[in-house]
Amino acid sequence: METSGRIATTPDALDFTVENVEKGLHQLYYDPNIENKNLAQKWLMQAQVSPQAWQFCWALLSPDKVPEIQYFGASALHTKISRYWSDIPSDQYETLKTQLFSQIACFSSGSKMVLTRLCVALASLALNTMPEVWPGAVPEMVRVFQEEGGGVDGRARCLALLELLTVLPEEFQTSRMPQYRKGQVRGALGREWGSVCPLLQQLLRQGDSPGAVKARVLRCLSSWVLLDVPLSESEGLVEDCFTALPDPELFDTAVEAIVNAISQPDSQRYVNTLLKLVPQVLSLQEQLREAVQNGDMETSHGICRIAVALGENHSRALLEQVAHWQGFLALVNMIMFCTGIPGHYPVNETTSSLTLTFWYTLQDDIMSFDCERQAVYLQVYRPVYFQLVDVLLHKAQFPSDQEYASWSSDEKEQFRIYRVDISDTLMYVYEMLGAELLSNLYEKLGRILTNTEQASSWQHTEALLYGFQSIAETIDVNYSDVIPGLIGLLLRININNVQLADTVMFTIGALAEWLADHPVMLSSVLPLVLQALGNPDLSISSVSTLKKICRECKYDLPPYASNIVAVSREVLSKQIHKTSQCMWLMQALGFLLSALHVEEILRNLHSLITPYIQQLEKLADETPNPSNKLAIIHILGLLSNLFTTLDISKQEDESGESTAPPVKTAPLPPGPNPVVVVLQQVFALIQTVLSKWLNDSQVVEAVCAIFEKSVKTLLHDFAPMVSQLSEMLGQMYSTIPQAIGGGSSRSLMEQFAEVLFSLNKHCFPLLTVWLKEALQAQGFPSTRVTTEQKDTFTQQILRERVNKRRMKDIVKEFTLVCRGLHGTEYAAEYCL
């Protein structure tokens, strides 16, 4: 340590004395300089694991020290016992145990954080010595703290004992002991429950026990039940927890204890105990209703957790108790109340989301029974699940416009996620309710849209549509007889709200496959989609819906193609959509154009991309700057996304299954592919752009993306472009060459291996010559690699023409040799 009181960086600073440790702690807590703080923390961590820690830790616990210093002393003790147990001589165990008991007694009326660390240290000692060295650890702990003496009052001693008993199982859960040892200690702790349980019961049932003691008892129970204590053995204590729930000071800890106890996997074996718990949970309904009525979110949340824990963890076991079916049905209805709890999530309530997994579990358990029993359960629970759909759609409703406007962005995002969870649940429920669910939703939607006497809220309409969308997105609704009527109802909706318009769009998108089988309905829905395309507030929903329609229905869209292209061109020119939606829109147009005749494709391509080519020509003449860089990348991105989906090669394969007119199945005319025509026209322009931006990786990547996506789409049709592209790639690679042995990234090595593998497979004779020429240069690719190693590498490469994984390993191995890293720890990690 330096005389100034700051920690030195020289080797003699490792003088771990009490004085130096105190200086280090002062530096850590109070020095404003962050570097000094970090230095102090590093030094103190070394001190904590040093041999000298055994000397200074006791001194730091002195009553005249401040709690921060005492805490470090207690933490050092715990570190030494938990991580360096083998360093402690066995003849010191008893002395260490006695000292810890003594310190815990001293701090039972002192700093809570120091007391906890000391308890954790003693718990670690107990875990390291049970059952052989310290077989009766828990009874001894109880006996020591029940004895009077040391000037410590009984309440403080009781709280210290409970703290010790609480951290004992917790320390076990986080300990690093070997698996075989963990099993021994778990068994020993399980046997100690016989000493803990009566003590906890006595303290909890004692009328004069202070609230702080009862709260600590409940925490202690929570800790022990996580050790898979048999539910039958903790049954009495769990019942006592229910009696503690009306006490606001004990409510949270009582809930935690009950939930932990009944959530243990092993507890399902104790069916009789579970059956006794059902009426106790049902008895909380009055307290739950009062809490909801009074806006007490904490209480309603806690009671819901209990009901869900019992139902979710034990639904099958309770379903099987046919004689008690009414009790379980009452529990299901209680959980239904929690699902439909009044208020909007997450602003007025946070409880309903807890229940969603339960409905999955119950459905799975019902459907897992044999057909005969399943039919009985479905008779009871199908009406329940129809009710659930109503409840979920009510919960999915947006609040009033005014209220929604007052929500924070975080609250809106949480509500969005909550609606997604509801959507997933509805999709799952369809598995049980089937087509009747769609009919049910259709009837409700029809009633509110055709009722001229009573206008319904847009929120109600939107929620019902959201239900349809949730199901249609993932379930095949092609055979549903309500979808034509639904399309008709969509046209009746007075869309005067962004959220409603969004859901209308997403619903149409979810029906894209159905529209492909019923193309006569396209004329009804396309105007809605194209109109929405011009609204920036509907950007994501309208563009994604158009993309789905163009992908699924492309062979039925030629009559609408010119209109779709015109509207798309207009919205793109107005720049009302974000970059990602512009890219989606180009993909949609690629799907659309794929189904047209080549002449029509070229005509539409000309009108669509000419403005961008002209803009790119202008940008290519400008001096590179950040602004025109973004514009260049944007235009290149539009082209690459268009070429990703513009694939006329699939016309013959797919159009035969379409309901489109026969003209679309005509064989493709001879001549170049439209994408190749466009690429050849813009190639010189792209080269000009590249020449100015060759050192900018983002522009280079955007250029490469055009050709990469075009190659994947065109395959053999790309042949006319190969020589030009190869020359361009050589130019790009030569600008910033990456050496088969340099400091290139791992991902680049993978790409090298891909190229070598492909060359080896398709150009074997040439690769043989190229490898020989490239590797004969002295000192290339590295001075660390010998001629023999290069020859070996060449032979390995040329032999591997089947296993791509093996080729990657060969390249990695050679890279490490070239960099002098072969056989190092880095190499071991690199090759994982």
Side-chain angles (χ1 to χ4, degrees):
M1 303 290 287
E2 293 179 340
T3 54
S4 65
R6 289 206 306 273
I7 293 173
T9 57
T10 52
D12 62 352
L14 301 178
D15 185 11
F16 301 123
T17 63
V18 174
E19 181 185 6
N20 283 347
V21 170
E22 290 194 41
K23 287 180 181 177
L25 286 166
H26 189 275
Q27 183 172 321
L28 176 66
Y29 288 121
Y30 303 112
D31 195 315
N33 187 306
I34 190 66
E35 290 184 11
N36 289 341
K37 283 179 178 291
N38 291 338
L39 186 62
Q41 185 170 25
K42 185 177 178 182
W43 187 90
L44 288 165
M45 287 173 69
Q46 291 176 299
Q48 209 167 35
V49 300
S50 69
Q52 296 97 308
W54 285 116
Q55 281 73 51
F56 68 66
C57 62
W58 300 109
L60 294 178
L61 289 167
S62 174
D64 60 339
K65 306 294 183 186
V66 295
E68 290 83 1
I69 290 174
Q70 293 170 334
Y71 180 83
F72 184 80
S75 292
L77 270 172
H78 173 244
T79 300
K80 297 298 286 185
I81 294 170
S82 61
R83 291 170 55 187
Y84 300 95
W85 177 253
S86 59
D87 295 346
I88 305 173
S90 57
D91 60 356
Q92 295 293 313
Y93 294 169
E94 196 62 33
T95 304
L96 182 56
K97 179 172 71 175
T98 304
Q99 286 178 298
L100 283 169
F101 269 129
S102 175
Q103 289 291 343
I104 289 171
C106 290
F107 278 92
S108 61
S109 300
S111 167
K112 172 67 169 63
M113 66 176 184
V114 180
L115 172 65
T116 299
R117 294 313 292 169
L118 288 168
C119 288
V120 172
L122 182 55
S124 184
L125 184 148
L127 294 174
N128 278 297
T129 52
M130 64 169 56
E132 299 89 353
V133 179
W134 195 6
V138 171
E140 185 174 346
M141 291 174 184
V142 174
R143 178 181 55 76
V144 168
F145 284 97
Q146 283 183 335
E147 291 176 351
E148 295 188 15
V152 181
D153 69 82
R155 179 174 175 274
R157 285 201 314 275
C158 182
L159 288 171
L161 171 61
L162 289 169
E163 184 67 19
L164 178 57
L165 293 177
T166 300
V167 301
L168 185 59
E170 293 172 352
E171 179 68 5
F172 170 76
Q173 303 284 11
T174 58
S175 63
R176 302 178 179 179
M177 60 182 72
Q179 202 59 41
Y180 80 92
R181 173 75 184 145
K182 203 142 195 172
Q184 290 178 339
V185 177
R186 179 183 286 275
L189 282 172
R191 291 189 291 274
E192 301 285 18
W193 175 243
S195 302
V196 176
C197 184
L199 173 69
L200 300 184
Q201 275 189 317
Q202 178 191 344
L203 291 172
L204 206 53
R205 293 174 180 178
Q206 219 166 274
D208 58 351
S209 284
V213 170
K214 288 185 176 181
R216 198 70 61 86
V217 167
L218 294 169
R219 269 193 58 224
C220 189
L221 173 60
S222 272
S223 180
W224 278 84
V225 294
L226 294 176
L227 293 174
D228 290 333
V229 169
L231 186 60
S232 58
E233 294 181 17
S234 60
E235 180 183 322
L237 269 171
V238 173
E239 289 178 0
D240 291 338
C241 291
F242 278 91
T243 64
L245 287 172
D247 187 336
E249 291 183 10
L250 302 178
F251 181 82
D252 290 339
T253 46
V255 167
E256 204 66 36
I258 294 168
V259 169
N260 285 347
I262 59 183
S263 299
Q264 293 313 298
D266 192 53
S267 59
Q268 60 190 338
R269 292 167 46 200
Y270 306 100
V271 177
N272 289 333
T273 303
L274 293 173
L275 289 172
K276 292 177 188 175
L277 289 174
V278 171
Q280 294 198 62
V281 174
L282 294 175
S283 70
L284 301 174
Q285 289 183 95
E286 189 56 40
Q287 189 179 357
L288 173 62
R289 288 194 183 89
E290 286 181 11
V292 170
Q293 194 173 348
N294 298 329
D296 182 354
M297 289 171 65
E298 286 79 8
T299 299
S300 58
H301 195 83
I303 294 175
C304 175
R305 282 187 64 202
I306 294 171
V308 169
L310 183 58
E312 193 175 304
N313 288 287
H314 307 294
S315 64
R316 186 177 181 91
L318 293 170
L319 278 168
E320 287 176 332
Q321 308 308 306
V322 181
H324 301 272
W325 70 272
Q326 288 175 310
F328 183 59
L329 181 59
L331 177 65
V332 171
N333 285 323
M334 180 179 178
I335 295 173
M336 181 76 77
F337 176 83
C338 295
T339 304
I341 204 162
H344 288 287
Y345 182 96
V347 176
N348 313 113
E349 63 91 7
T350 55
T351 298
S352 57
S353 61
L354 299 177
T355 67
L356 298 181
T357 309
F358 163 76
W359 299 109
Y360 286 83
T361 305
L362 177 60
Q363 179 174 324
D364 284 344
D365 288 335
I366 290 172
M367 303 305 282
S368 69
F369 287 113
D370 60 72
C371 293
E372 190 176 338
R373 294 176 71 189
Q374 192 182 113
V376 174
Y377 288 120
L378 286 175
Q379 195 173 356
V380 176
Y381 286 101
R382 269 178 66 88
V384 172
Y385 273 83
F386 274 112
Q387 183 190 351
L388 173 65
V389 171
D390 291 341
V391 168
L392 290 175
L393 291 178
H394 180 74
K395 292 297 294 182
Q397 287 188 24
F398 279 88
S400 67
D401 295 337
Q402 185 178 0
E403 185 182 347
Y404 189 66
S406 71
W407 286 13
S408 68
S409 57
D410 184 55
E411 288 168 338
K412 289 178 180 177
E413 176 60 10
Q414 286 186 59
F415 182 60
R416 185 193 69 79
I417 295 169
Y418 174 69
R419 277 170 51 99
V420 171
D421 291 339
I422 286 177
S423 173
D424 292 342
T425 309
L426 289 170
M427 176 197 74
Y428 206 74
V429 166
Y430 182 85
E431 301 277 332
M432 177 188 279
L433 302 182
E436 193 179 341
L437 172 56
L438 289 178
S439 301
N440 185 284
L441 293 175
Y442 174 68
E443 287 170 13
K444 286 185 169 67
L445 186 63
R447 278 199 300 272
I448 65 171
L449 289 178
T450 56
N451 188 340
T452 54
E453 296 178 6
Q454 184 180 358
S456 66
S457 67
W458 70 262
Q459 288 92 339
H460 194 183
T461 303
E462 190 278 335
L464 285 167
L465 271 183
Y466 187 68
F468 265 110
Q469 175 208 326
S470 302
I471 296 163
E473 272 182 338
T474 49
I475 305 294
D476 183 4
V477 295
N478 282 5
Y479 301 104
S480 171
D481 57 358
V482 303
I483 304 301
L486 172 63
I487 300 288
L489 290 176
L490 286 175
L491 303 177
R492 298 180 66 116
I493 296 175
N494 177 23
I495 303 176
N496 55 4
N497 177 277
V498 169
Q499 284 84 20
L500 177 57
D502 252 339
T503 303
V504 169
M505 283 300 107
F506 283 127
T507 303
I508 294 171
L511 296 173
E513 287 185 36
W514 183 90
L515 288 168
D517 289 337
H518 304 80
V520 70
M521 303 301 290
L522 282 169
S523 59
S524 299
V525 298
L526 268 176
L528 286 177
V529 178
L530 295 179
Q531 183 183 359
L533 209 59
N535 186 341
D537 291 330
L538 304 177
S539 182
I540 293 176
S541 61
S542 61
V543 174
S544 66
T545 295
L546 181 64
K547 180 181 170 182
K548 287 179 180 178
I549 290 174
C550 289
R551 184 182 65 217
E552 302 298 335
C553 312
K554 60 184 175 185
Y555 297 113
D556 299 295
L557 290 177
Y560 314 99
S562 58
N563 192 23
I564 294 172
V565 172
V567 172
S568 300
R569 190 173 63 240
E570 182 183 358
V571 298
L572 284 168
S573 68
K574 290 180 179 177
Q575 299 181 343
I576 63 173
H577 296 299
K578 292 182 179 178
T579 299
S580 56
Q581 277 73 59
C582 291
M583 302 307 157
W584 291 358
L585 188 50
M586 284 306 237
Q587 288 178 22
L589 295 172
F591 286 124
L592 173 71
L593 297 179
S594 298
L596 303 181
H597 285 296
V598 171
E599 299 80 12
E600 293 178 84
I601 295 175
L602 288 170
R603 187 169 61 252
N604 279 290
L605 278 176
H606 178 75
S607 68
L608 183 63
I609 67 176
T610 295
Y612 295 108
I613 302 304
Q614 292 171 347
Q615 189 182 352
L616 193 60
E617 287 173 342
K618 181 172 177 292
L619 291 166
D621 291 335
E622 295 178 2
T623 304
N625 64 68
S627 175
N628 57 26
K629 171 184 169 178
L630 290 175
I632 288 170
I633 291 174
H634 181 75
I635 293 171
L636 295 175
L638 291 175
L639 292 175
S640 63
N641 277 277
L642 176 64
F643 297 155
T644 299
T645 54
L646 206 173
D647 185 5
I648 63 170
S649 67
K650 294 183 179 177
Q651 279 191 19
E652 283 186 312
D653 298 334
E654 297 180 7
S655 61
E657 299 177 7
S658 173
T659 56
V663 69
K664 283 180 273 184
T665 64
L668 294 174
N673 188 295
V675 174
V676 175
V677 172
V678 174
L679 284 175
Q680 288 176 326
Q681 289 174 352
V682 301
F683 195 86
L685 175 57
I686 291 175
Q687 278 188 311
T688 304
V689 171
L690 197 60
S691 65
K692 288 192 175 183
W693 294 90
L694 204 50
N695 289 299
D696 189 292
S697 62
Q698 290 177 303
V699 174
V700 170
E701 284 174 14
V703 168
C704 289
I706 290 180
F707 295 103
E708 180 192 359
K709 292 178 178 179
S710 299
V711 168
K712 286 180 178 177
T713 305
L714 295 171
L715 298 177
H716 296 295
D717 285 349
F718 192 80
M721 297 292 302
V722 170
S723 59
Q724 289 173 288
L725 179 59
S726 299
E727 188 177 336
M728 180 187 284
L729 289 172
Q731 182 187 2
M732 288 189 283
Y733 190 78
S734 301
T735 304
I736 309 176
Q738 298 283 335
I740 315 194
S744 306
S745 69
R746 296 185 193 185
S747 60
L748 203 53
M749 292 305 113
E750 299 240 339
Q751 303 304 323
F752 280 145
E754 294 266 5
V755 172
L756 286 169
F757 185 78
S758 186
L759 288 172
N760 204 27
K761 199 170 183 181
H762 303 290
C763 312
F764 180 76
L766 289 171
L767 180 62
T768 306
V769 176
W770 292 340
L771 279 173
K772 185 177 179 181
E773 289 179 355
L775 291 174
Q776 70 182 2
Q778 198 70 24
F780 179 83
S782 166
T783 55
R784 295 187 180 94
V785 67
T786 66
T787 302
E788 291 76 14
Q789 287 170 320
K790 287 196 273 188
D791 288 343
T792 302
F793 173 65
T794 301
Q795 291 166 16
Q796 288 176 321
I797 289 291
L798 294 175
R799 270 201 302 266
E800 197 49 71
R801 303 177 70 180
V802 177
N803 191 332
K804 191 184 289 187
R805 180 73 259 166
R806 174 65 186 142
M807 178 68 84
K808 290 181 179 180
D809 291 339
I810 293 167
V811 172
K812 282 181 183 177
E813 190 80 9
F814 187 66
T815 300
L816 293 167
V817 172
C818 291
R819 296 169 68 184
L821 294 170
H822 189 264
T824 64
E825 187 178 330
Y826 174 84
E829 181 191 335
Y830 185 92
C831 291
L832 285 177

